[in-house]
Amino acid sequence: MTRNRFTQACVAALLLIGSWSAAGTLPAAASDTADSATTAASAGSASASPGLLQAMQRDFGLSRAEAEARLTAERRATELAPEARKTAGAAYGGAWFEAGSGKLVVAVTSDADASTVRALRSSGAGVRVVEHSARLLDAVKSRIDRLKAPAGVSSWSVDPVANAVAVNVVGDQRSDSDVRRFVAEARKAGPVTVRTVRAAAQTFAAGTVGGDPYYTGNVRCSIGFSVHGGFVTAGHCGGTGAAVRGWDGSHIGTFQGSSFPENDYAWVNVGSGWWTVPVVLGWGTIPDRLVRGSAEAPIGASICRSGSTTHWHCGAVLAKNETVNYSQGAVRQMTKTSVCAEPGDSGGSFISGDQAQGVTSGGWGNCSGGGETWFQPINEILSRYGLTLHTA
Protein backbone atom coordinates (compact mmCIF):
# COMPACT_ATOMS: atom_id res chain seq x y z
CA MET A 1 0.00 0.00 0.00
CA THR A 2 1.41 3.39 -0.94
CA ARG A 3 1.07 6.59 1.05
CA ASN A 4 -1.16 7.97 -1.73
CA ARG A 5 -3.46 5.01 -1.44
CA PHE A 6 -3.53 5.37 2.33
CA THR A 7 -4.60 9.01 1.93
CA GLN A 8 -7.31 8.12 -0.60
CA ALA A 9 -8.72 5.43 1.71
CA CYS A 10 -8.84 7.85 4.62
CA VAL A 11 -10.56 10.58 2.58
CA ALA A 12 -13.15 8.12 1.27
CA ALA A 13 -13.95 6.86 4.76
CA LEU A 14 -14.09 10.40 6.14
CA LEU A 15 -16.72 11.36 3.59
CA LEU A 16 -18.78 8.36 4.62
CA ILE A 17 -18.57 8.47 8.40
CA GLY A 18 -17.82 12.08 9.23
CA SER A 19 -15.07 11.66 11.84
CA TRP A 20 -12.73 9.14 13.44
CA SER A 21 -11.13 8.53 16.76
CA ALA A 22 -7.55 9.80 16.54
CA ALA A 23 -5.89 7.04 18.52
CA GLY A 24 -5.01 4.01 16.38
CA THR A 25 -4.28 2.58 12.95
CA LEU A 26 -5.84 1.60 9.64
CA PRO A 27 -7.05 -2.02 9.47
CA ALA A 28 -5.77 -4.42 6.78
CA ALA A 29 -7.29 -5.69 5.15
CA ALA A 30 -36.60 -14.76 -0.32
CA SER A 31 -39.71 -12.89 0.25
CA ASP A 32 -43.30 -14.17 -0.17
CA THR A 33 -44.11 -12.01 -3.19
CA ALA A 34 -42.16 -10.62 -6.10
CA ASP A 35 -42.82 -7.05 -4.96
CA SER A 36 -41.71 -7.65 -1.38
CA ALA A 37 -38.62 -9.56 -2.57
CA THR A 38 -37.57 -6.62 -4.73
CA THR A 39 -38.14 -4.17 -1.88
CA ALA A 40 -36.26 -6.33 0.63
CA ALA A 41 -33.33 -6.86 -1.73
CA SER A 42 -33.06 -3.15 -2.37
CA ALA A 43 -33.13 -2.35 1.36
CA GLY A 44 -30.65 -5.11 2.20
CA SER A 45 -28.17 -4.07 -0.46
CA ALA A 46 -28.20 -0.39 0.52
CA SER A 47 -24.98 -0.82 2.51
CA ALA A 48 -23.41 -3.32 0.09
CA SER A 49 -20.62 -1.76 -1.93
CA PRO A 50 -20.30 -2.59 -5.63
CA GLY A 51 -17.05 -4.38 -4.77
CA LEU A 52 -18.75 -6.68 -2.25
CA LEU A 53 -21.44 -7.55 -4.77
CA GLN A 54 -18.82 -8.15 -7.47
CA ALA A 55 -16.86 -10.46 -5.17
CA MET A 56 -20.00 -12.45 -4.35
CA GLN A 57 -20.87 -12.68 -8.03
CA ARG A 58 -17.36 -13.96 -8.76
CA ASP A 59 -17.01 -16.42 -5.87
CA PHE A 60 -20.61 -17.71 -5.73
CA GLY A 61 -21.53 -17.50 -9.43
CA LEU A 62 -24.47 -15.18 -8.70
CA SER A 63 -26.04 -12.37 -10.65
CA ARG A 64 -26.06 -8.95 -9.00
CA ALA A 65 -29.75 -9.31 -8.11
CA GLU A 66 -29.11 -12.74 -6.60
CA ALA A 67 -26.22 -11.40 -4.53
CA GLU A 68 -28.39 -8.54 -3.24
CA ALA A 69 -31.23 -10.92 -2.38
CA ARG A 70 -28.84 -13.27 -0.57
CA LEU A 71 -27.40 -10.47 1.56
CA THR A 72 -30.92 -9.44 2.54
CA ALA A 73 -31.89 -13.02 3.45
CA GLU A 74 -28.69 -13.53 5.43
CA ARG A 75 -29.24 -10.35 7.40
CA ARG A 76 -32.72 -11.57 8.28
CA ALA A 77 -31.37 -15.00 9.31
CA THR A 78 -28.62 -13.44 11.45
CA GLU A 79 -31.19 -11.34 13.33
CA LEU A 80 -33.51 -14.33 13.79
CA ALA A 81 -30.93 -16.89 15.02
CA PRO A 82 -30.64 -15.86 18.71
CA GLU A 83 -34.40 -15.71 19.23
CA ALA A 84 -34.91 -19.01 17.40
CA ARG A 85 -32.46 -20.72 19.74
CA LYS A 86 -34.31 -19.33 22.74
CA THR A 87 -37.67 -20.46 21.33
CA ALA A 88 -36.43 -24.03 20.72
CA GLY A 89 -35.09 -24.32 24.27
CA ALA A 90 -33.76 -27.74 25.29
CA ALA A 91 -34.96 -29.19 21.96
CA TYR A 92 -32.54 -26.95 19.99
CA GLY A 93 -30.38 -28.96 17.60
CA GLY A 94 -28.49 -26.15 15.86
CA ALA A 95 -29.23 -23.77 13.00
CA TRP A 96 -27.87 -22.80 9.60
CA PHE A 97 -28.65 -20.52 6.68
CA GLU A 98 -30.01 -22.40 3.65
CA ALA A 99 -29.08 -20.52 0.50
CA GLY A 100 -31.64 -22.32 -1.65
CA SER A 101 -34.65 -21.26 0.41
CA GLY A 102 -33.10 -18.06 1.75
CA LYS A 103 -34.14 -19.10 5.27
CA LEU A 104 -32.60 -19.87 8.61
CA VAL A 105 -33.22 -23.58 9.25
CA VAL A 106 -33.57 -24.54 12.92
CA ALA A 107 -33.06 -28.16 13.96
CA VAL A 108 -35.17 -29.44 16.87
CA THR A 109 -35.40 -32.83 18.51
CA SER A 110 -38.64 -34.80 18.69
CA ASP A 111 -39.07 -33.42 22.22
CA ALA A 112 -40.13 -30.08 20.74
CA ASP A 113 -43.86 -29.53 21.18
CA ALA A 114 -46.16 -28.37 18.40
CA SER A 115 -46.35 -24.81 19.74
CA THR A 116 -42.56 -24.47 19.54
CA VAL A 117 -42.52 -25.65 15.93
CA ARG A 118 -45.38 -23.29 15.07
CA ALA A 119 -43.57 -20.37 16.70
CA LEU A 120 -40.40 -21.07 14.77
CA ARG A 121 -42.24 -21.31 11.47
CA SER A 122 -44.21 -18.16 12.21
CA SER A 123 -40.94 -16.30 12.72
CA GLY A 124 -39.89 -17.24 9.18
CA ALA A 125 -37.52 -20.09 10.03
CA GLY A 126 -37.52 -23.51 8.45
CA VAL A 127 -37.72 -26.44 10.89
CA ARG A 128 -36.00 -29.82 10.72
CA VAL A 129 -36.51 -32.63 13.26
CA VAL A 130 -33.26 -34.34 14.29
CA GLU A 131 -32.19 -37.05 16.72
CA HIS A 132 -29.59 -35.24 18.79
CA SER A 133 -29.75 -31.90 20.61
CA ALA A 134 -27.06 -29.25 20.24
CA ARG A 135 -26.28 -29.68 23.93
CA LEU A 136 -25.52 -33.38 23.43
CA LEU A 137 -23.38 -32.74 20.35
CA ASP A 138 -21.45 -30.00 22.15
CA ALA A 139 -20.71 -32.49 24.93
CA VAL A 140 -19.47 -35.04 22.37
CA LYS A 141 -17.23 -32.45 20.81
CA SER A 142 -15.84 -31.51 24.23
CA ARG A 143 -14.95 -35.15 24.90
CA ILE A 144 -13.14 -35.34 21.56
CA ASP A 145 -11.27 -32.14 22.44
CA ARG A 146 -9.60 -34.08 25.25
CA LEU A 147 -8.06 -36.57 22.80
CA LYS A 148 -4.58 -36.05 21.35
CA ALA A 149 -4.96 -35.71 17.58
CA PRO A 150 -2.34 -36.95 15.11
CA ALA A 151 -1.20 -34.77 12.20
CA GLY A 152 -3.54 -36.60 9.80
CA VAL A 153 -6.61 -35.23 11.62
CA SER A 154 -7.23 -31.70 10.41
CA SER A 155 -10.12 -30.54 12.61
CA TRP A 156 -13.48 -31.42 14.16
CA SER A 157 -16.70 -29.58 14.98
CA VAL A 158 -20.42 -29.98 15.48
CA ASP A 159 -22.21 -30.12 12.12
CA PRO A 160 -25.87 -29.25 12.71
CA VAL A 161 -26.87 -30.29 9.18
CA ALA A 162 -25.44 -33.80 9.68
CA ASN A 163 -26.57 -33.75 13.34
CA ALA A 164 -23.20 -35.17 14.34
CA VAL A 165 -19.64 -34.15 15.12
CA ALA A 166 -17.70 -34.00 11.85
CA VAL A 167 -14.08 -35.18 12.05
CA ASN A 168 -12.00 -34.03 9.08
CA VAL A 169 -9.18 -36.33 8.04
CA VAL A 170 -6.44 -35.70 5.47
CA GLY A 171 -7.23 -37.99 2.54
CA ASP A 172 -3.86 -39.66 2.06
CA GLN A 173 -3.54 -40.31 5.81
CA ARG A 174 -6.96 -41.83 6.43
CA SER A 175 -5.46 -45.33 6.72
CA ASP A 176 -2.74 -44.21 9.13
CA SER A 177 -2.94 -46.23 12.34
CA ASP A 178 -2.89 -43.15 14.59
CA VAL A 179 -5.67 -41.54 12.56
CA ARG A 180 -7.78 -44.67 12.69
CA ARG A 181 -7.21 -44.92 16.43
CA PHE A 182 -8.29 -41.28 16.93
CA VAL A 183 -11.44 -41.80 14.86
CA ALA A 184 -12.30 -44.95 16.82
CA GLU A 185 -11.93 -43.08 20.11
CA ALA A 186 -13.97 -40.18 18.75
CA ARG A 187 -16.82 -42.52 17.80
CA LYS A 188 -16.94 -43.77 21.40
CA ALA A 189 -17.77 -40.22 22.46
CA GLY A 190 -21.01 -40.12 20.46
CA PRO A 191 -22.39 -39.51 16.96
CA VAL A 192 -19.47 -38.83 14.60
CA THR A 193 -19.18 -38.50 10.84
CA VAL A 194 -15.76 -38.66 9.13
CA ARG A 195 -14.92 -36.49 6.15
CA THR A 196 -11.88 -36.26 3.92
CA VAL A 197 -9.96 -33.05 3.21
CA ARG A 198 -7.11 -32.54 0.76
CA ALA A 199 -4.47 -31.21 3.13
CA ALA A 200 -3.64 -30.51 6.77
CA ALA A 201 -4.37 -27.14 8.35
CA GLN A 202 -1.58 -24.59 8.60
CA THR A 203 -1.35 -20.98 9.68
CA PHE A 204 -1.06 -18.22 7.06
CA ALA A 205 1.79 -16.14 8.42
CA ALA A 206 4.61 -15.35 5.97
CA GLY A 207 8.20 -14.08 5.83
CA THR A 208 8.83 -10.38 5.25
CA VAL A 209 7.55 -9.10 1.92
CA GLY A 210 7.33 -5.40 1.06
CA GLY A 211 4.11 -3.41 0.69
CA ASP A 212 1.98 -5.11 3.32
CA PRO A 213 0.25 -3.75 6.41
CA TYR A 214 2.35 -4.89 9.36
CA TYR A 215 5.42 -6.81 10.38
CA THR A 216 6.71 -8.30 13.57
CA GLY A 217 10.22 -9.70 13.45
CA ASN A 218 10.52 -11.39 10.08
CA VAL A 219 6.81 -12.27 9.91
CA ARG A 220 4.23 -10.48 7.76
CA CYS A 221 0.58 -10.66 8.74
CA SER A 222 -2.63 -8.72 8.11
CA ILE A 223 -4.51 -6.35 10.39
CA GLY A 224 -7.94 -7.62 11.36
CA PHE A 225 -10.28 -5.01 12.84
CA SER A 226 -9.76 -1.69 14.56
CA VAL A 227 -10.71 -1.52 18.21
CA HIS A 228 -10.56 1.57 20.37
CA GLY A 229 -6.86 1.88 21.14
CA GLY A 230 -5.52 -0.57 18.57
CA PHE A 231 -6.36 -3.52 16.35
CA VAL A 232 -6.96 -7.26 16.66
CA THR A 233 -5.14 -9.91 14.68
CA ALA A 234 -3.92 -13.53 14.89
CA GLY A 235 -1.97 -14.72 17.94
CA HIS A 236 0.52 -16.76 15.93
CA CYS A 237 1.78 -13.55 14.29
CA GLY A 238 3.55 -12.35 17.44
CA GLY A 239 3.95 -12.82 21.18
CA THR A 240 3.05 -10.36 23.91
CA GLY A 241 5.52 -7.46 23.92
CA ALA A 242 6.66 -7.94 20.32
CA ALA A 243 7.11 -4.68 18.38
CA VAL A 244 4.97 -4.05 15.31
CA ARG A 245 5.94 -2.07 12.19
CA GLY A 246 3.47 -0.73 9.66
CA TRP A 247 3.37 -0.91 5.87
CA ASP A 248 5.83 2.01 5.70
CA GLY A 249 8.26 0.53 8.24
CA SER A 250 7.28 2.96 11.00
CA HIS A 251 6.57 1.79 14.54
CA ILE A 252 2.87 1.18 15.27
CA GLY A 253 2.89 -0.32 18.77
CA THR A 254 3.36 -3.66 20.51
CA PHE A 255 1.37 -6.83 21.09
CA GLN A 256 -0.51 -6.16 24.31
CA GLY A 257 -1.90 -9.68 24.49
CA SER A 258 -1.42 -12.82 22.40
CA SER A 259 -2.55 -16.44 22.66
CA PHE A 260 -1.50 -19.36 20.43
CA PRO A 261 -2.11 -22.28 20.31
CA GLU A 262 -5.34 -23.18 22.19
CA ASN A 263 -6.52 -19.78 20.86
CA ASP A 264 -5.30 -17.75 17.91
CA TYR A 265 -5.91 -14.12 18.76
CA ALA A 266 -3.99 -11.02 19.76
CA TRP A 267 -4.30 -7.29 19.98
CA VAL A 268 -1.84 -4.50 19.24
CA ASN A 269 -1.94 -1.00 20.70
CA VAL A 270 -1.29 1.90 18.36
CA GLY A 271 0.45 5.26 18.51
CA SER A 272 3.29 7.09 16.80
CA GLY A 273 0.90 8.88 14.46
CA TRP A 274 -1.28 5.86 13.61
CA TRP A 275 -5.02 5.89 14.31
CA THR A 276 -8.03 3.58 14.08
CA VAL A 277 -10.86 3.59 11.56
CA PRO A 278 -13.85 1.21 11.20
CA VAL A 279 -12.75 0.11 7.72
CA VAL A 280 -11.75 -3.14 6.03
CA LEU A 281 -9.50 -2.42 3.06
CA GLY A 282 -10.39 -3.54 -0.45
CA TRP A 283 -6.72 -3.23 -1.49
CA GLY A 284 -7.67 -1.38 -4.67
CA THR A 285 -9.72 -4.37 -5.83
CA ILE A 286 -13.03 -3.25 -4.29
CA PRO A 287 -14.14 -0.15 -2.37
CA ASP A 288 -13.31 -0.29 1.33
CA ARG A 289 -15.96 -1.70 3.69
CA LEU A 290 -17.30 0.11 6.74
CA VAL A 291 -17.71 -2.00 9.89
CA ARG A 292 -20.98 -1.42 11.73
CA GLY A 293 -21.10 -4.24 14.29
CA SER A 294 -20.24 -7.86 15.05
CA ALA A 295 -23.49 -9.83 14.78
CA GLU A 296 -22.52 -13.47 14.21
CA ALA A 297 -23.51 -14.90 10.82
CA PRO A 298 -25.07 -18.40 10.85
CA ILE A 299 -23.65 -21.51 9.23
CA GLY A 300 -24.37 -21.36 5.51
CA ALA A 301 -24.17 -17.57 5.27
CA SER A 302 -21.83 -15.88 2.82
CA ILE A 303 -18.69 -14.33 4.24
CA CYS A 304 -15.74 -12.43 2.76
CA ARG A 305 -12.12 -12.02 3.75
CA SER A 306 -9.58 -9.23 3.27
CA GLY A 307 -5.90 -10.06 3.50
CA SER A 308 -2.59 -8.54 2.49
CA THR A 309 -1.62 -11.36 0.11
CA THR A 310 -4.76 -12.37 -1.75
CA HIS A 311 -6.88 -9.29 -1.06
CA TRP A 312 -10.64 -9.96 -1.20
CA HIS A 313 -12.33 -13.37 -1.50
CA CYS A 314 -15.73 -14.72 -0.49
CA GLY A 315 -17.20 -18.06 0.50
CA ALA A 316 -19.61 -19.52 3.04
CA VAL A 317 -19.54 -20.35 6.74
CA LEU A 318 -19.11 -24.15 6.97
CA ALA A 319 -18.83 -24.88 10.70
CA LYS A 320 -18.52 -23.25 14.10
CA ASN A 321 -16.74 -24.15 17.33
CA GLU A 322 -14.35 -26.30 15.33
CA THR A 323 -11.11 -27.54 16.88
CA VAL A 324 -8.24 -27.15 14.40
CA ASN A 325 -5.18 -29.39 14.74
CA TYR A 326 -2.17 -27.29 13.71
CA SER A 327 1.37 -28.68 13.99
CA GLN A 328 1.97 -26.17 16.82
CA GLY A 329 -1.04 -27.46 18.77
CA ALA A 330 -4.84 -27.47 18.72
CA VAL A 331 -6.83 -24.23 18.50
CA ARG A 332 -10.43 -24.37 19.70
CA GLN A 333 -13.68 -22.50 19.03
CA MET A 334 -12.78 -21.65 15.44
CA THR A 335 -15.17 -20.98 12.55
CA LYS A 336 -14.50 -22.80 9.26
CA THR A 337 -15.23 -21.23 5.87
CA SER A 338 -14.89 -22.10 2.19
CA VAL A 339 -12.90 -18.88 1.61
CA CYS A 340 -9.36 -19.34 0.29
CA ALA A 341 -6.27 -17.72 1.84
CA GLU A 342 -2.49 -17.79 1.50
CA PRO A 343 0.60 -16.96 3.59
CA GLY A 344 0.53 -13.35 4.76
CA ASP A 345 -3.28 -13.29 5.06
CA SER A 346 -3.09 -14.34 8.73
CA GLY A 347 -4.85 -11.97 11.09
CA GLY A 348 -6.90 -10.39 8.30
CA SER A 349 -10.58 -9.49 8.40
CA PHE A 350 -13.54 -11.83 7.97
CA ILE A 351 -16.70 -9.82 7.43
CA SER A 352 -20.31 -10.67 6.54
CA GLY A 353 -22.12 -7.71 5.02
CA ASP A 354 -21.01 -4.90 7.34
CA GLN A 355 -20.64 -7.13 10.42
CA ALA A 356 -17.17 -8.12 11.68
CA GLN A 357 -16.85 -11.89 12.11
CA GLY A 358 -13.26 -12.69 13.03
CA VAL A 359 -9.55 -12.75 12.18
CA THR A 360 -7.91 -15.19 9.77
CA SER A 361 -6.04 -18.02 11.47
CA GLY A 362 -5.11 -20.71 8.93
CA GLY A 363 -6.37 -23.38 6.62
CA TRP A 364 -5.34 -25.48 3.67
CA GLY A 365 -5.11 -24.87 -0.08
CA ASN A 366 -4.70 -21.54 -1.85
CA CYS A 367 -6.60 -19.05 -3.99
CA SER A 368 -5.60 -20.74 -7.25
CA GLY A 369 -6.81 -24.26 -6.50
CA GLY A 370 -9.23 -23.50 -3.67
CA GLY A 371 -9.22 -24.51 -0.03
CA GLU A 372 -10.75 -23.83 3.38
CA THR A 373 -9.86 -21.25 6.01
CA TRP A 374 -10.59 -20.86 9.73
CA PHE A 375 -11.02 -17.66 11.69
CA GLN A 376 -11.07 -16.82 15.38
CA PRO A 377 -14.46 -15.19 16.14
CA ILE A 378 -14.22 -11.46 16.86
CA ASN A 379 -16.61 -11.39 19.80
CA GLU A 380 -14.46 -13.85 21.75
CA ILE A 381 -11.40 -11.64 21.20
CA LEU A 382 -13.24 -8.50 22.30
CA SER A 383 -14.51 -10.24 25.43
CA ARG A 384 -11.14 -11.77 26.29
CA TYR A 385 -9.28 -8.47 26.28
CA GLY A 386 -12.14 -6.12 27.22
CA LEU A 387 -11.91 -4.32 23.87
CA THR A 388 -14.52 -2.29 22.00
CA LEU A 389 -14.87 -2.71 18.26
CA HIS A 390 -14.48 0.57 16.35
CA THR A 391 -17.68 0.87 14.31
CA ALA A 392 -19.08 3.40 11.85
Side-chain angles (χ1 to χ4, degrees):
M1 182 164 105
T2 65
R3 186 171 297 278
N4 183 53
R5 181 176 168 201
F6 175 82
T7 303
Q8 291 174 343
C10 291
V11 171
L14 181 60
L15 291 172
L16 286 168
I17 63 176
S19 63
W20 301 327
S21 165
T25 189
L26 188 68
S31 263
D32 295 330
T33 68
D35 287 343
S36 60
T38 301
T39 302
S42 298
S45 62
S47 65
S49 70
L52 172 61
L53 295 172
Q54 289 164 12
M56 292 185 68
Q57 289 173 249
R58 177 194 67 202
D59 293 336
F60 285 101
L62 302 175
S63 68
R64 182 185 177 92
E66 288 170 336
E68 291 175 338
R70 177 159 177 164
L71 284 173
T72 299
E74 288 177 355
R75 184 175 292 106
R76 194 181 304 124
T78 298
E79 293 169 350
L80 175 60
E83 190 60 35
R85 178 167 192 154
K86 189 183 300 182
T87 299
Y92 181 73
W96 61 93
F97 176 75
E98 189 175 71
S101 66
K103 289 185 175 183
L104 180 75
V105 178
V106 181
V108 296
T109 63
S110 56
D111 296 334
D113 55 37
S115 62
T116 296
V117 174
R118 282 196 301 271
L120 288 169
R121 287 180 173 151
S122 295
S123 71
V127 179
R128 180 180 298 180
V129 178
V130 296
E131 182 177 356
H132 309 296
S133 69
R135 183 175 181 179
L136 181 147
L137 294 177
D138 286 342
V140 172
K141 196 261 182 181
S142 293
R143 288 194 285 272
I144 297 174
D145 278 346
R146 293 193 284 270
L147 302 177
K148 182 173 177 57
V153 176
S154 177
S155 63
W156 55 94
S157 66
V158 172
D159 181 350
V161 181
N163 196 227
V165 175
V167 175
N168 300 294
V169 174
V170 180
D172 60 7
Q173 298 184 52
R174 188 159 184 165
S175 298
D176 177 84
S177 58
D178 288 338
V179 171
R180 295 176 66 179
R181 189 177 302 112
F182 179 90
V183 170
E185 288 298 314
R187 291 190 190 281
K188 292 178 183 178
V192 163
T193 183
V194 179
R195 294 175 180 156
T196 300
V197 296
R198 295 205 305 256
Q202 61 181 356
T203 57
F204 285 127
T208 301
V209 177
D212 292 287
Y214 85 88
Y215 306 90
T216 178
N218 65 346
V219 171
R220 167 171 63 85
C221 281
S222 300
I223 293 171
F225 293 94
S226 285
V227 295
H228 290 289
F231 66 84
V232 294
T233 187
H236 70 263
C237 291
T240 303
V244 173
R245 307 186 310 279
W247 58 270
D248 60 353
S250 67
H251 178 74
I252 295 178
T254 59
F255 280 84
Q256 298 297 297
S258 180
S259 179
F260 179 79
E262 187 64 28
N263 305 294
D264 193 6
Y265 49 60
W267 83 279
V268 176
N269 71 331
V270 300
S272 304
W274 291 79
W275 63 91
T276 63
V277 291
V279 175
V280 173
L281 289 179
W283 296 101
T285 303
I286 66 163
D288 300 339
R289 296 290 295 160
L290 289 176
V291 179
R292 300 186 184 277
S294 58
E296 185 179 336
I299 289 173
S302 65
I303 193 166
C304 297
R305 179 192 55 72
S306 179
S308 61
T309 299
T310 58
H311 302 163
W312 188 274
H313 286 273
C314 297
V317 177
L318 300 179
K320 295 186 179 184
N321 192 24
E322 182 146 305
T323 299
V324 182
N325 187 36
Y326 293 129
S327 61
Q328 300 95 327
V331 177
R332 311 186 196 286
Q333 296 181 310
M334 302 277 270
T335 297
K336 181 167 68 176
T337 76
S338 62
V339 188
C340 66
E342 295 180 10
D345 287 327
S346 278
S349 322
F350 265 93
I351 189 166
S352 181
D354 56 12
Q355 299 295 303
Q357 298 298 307
V359 300
T360 304
S361 174
W364 59 267
N366 54 50
C367 290
S368 298
E372 294 175 338
T373 302
W374 288 270
F375 67 81
Q376 185 86 62
I378 184 70
N379 289 329
E380 180 185 358
I381 308 172
L382 300 176
S383 175
R384 169 64 180 82
Y385 293 119
L387 301 169
T388 301
L389 186 67
H390 191 165
T391 58

